[in-house]
Amino acid sequence: MAKEQKPQKDYLYLAYKGKEYLWMGFSILSILLSAYCLIKNDREQALYFIALTFIAGLLYSFNRSRRRKMEARVKEKQEKI
C-alpha cells in the first residue's frame, strides 16, 4: 500500500503569478488615484500617478509574458515524458 505522492507546489510559479497580480493592483490603484487628483483639479499630482500606471502596466505585461513562457516550458517537458 504505497501512498500517492502529492505534486509539489511550484513556488517560483506562484511568485510570478503573485507579482503579476501585485502590478495589476498597482495599476488599478494608480488609475483611481489619478482620477481622484484630476477631479480635485491637481494636474501635477495626477501626472505622477498616470506615469505610475504606465510603469506598472509595463511590469505587469513583462511578468505575464515571463509566466506564460514558464508555463509553456513546463507543458513541453510534460509532453516529452
Side-chain angles (χ1 to χ4, degrees):
M1 285 188 203
K3 288 184 181 178
E4 286 187 32
Q5 291 182 350
K6 291 183 181 178
Q8 288 184 335
K9 286 189 177 183
D10 189 3
Y11 291 109
L12 186 61
Y13 174 78
L14 292 176
Y16 282 146
K17 195 151 182 119
K19 280 186 359 184
E20 186 179 326
Y21 286 131
L22 184 70
W23 285 118
M24 186 190 315
F26 278 141
S27 62
I28 291 170
L29 182 65
S30 61
I31 287 171
L32 294 174
L33 288 172
S34 64
Y36 174 73
C37 288
L38 287 173
I39 290 170
K40 268 185 24 179
N41 227 2
D42 188 7
R43 289 186 178 184
E44 184 179 340
Q45 191 73 22
L47 284 176
Y48 293 123
F49 288 116
I50 291 170
L52 179 64
T53 301
F54 285 116
I55 292 170
L58 285 173
L59 290 171
Y60 168 77
S61 63
F62 176 71
N63 281 319
R64 183 179 173 106
S65 66
R66 191 165 44 171
R67 181 184 55 85
R68 284 187 170 178
K69 286 178 187 176
M70 183 179 176
E71 286 176 348
R73 270 186 267 138
V74 168
K75 188 175 182 179
E76 188 177 295
K77 275 185 180 179
Q78 288 176 352
E79 287 177 356
K80 285 183 179 180
I81 296 175

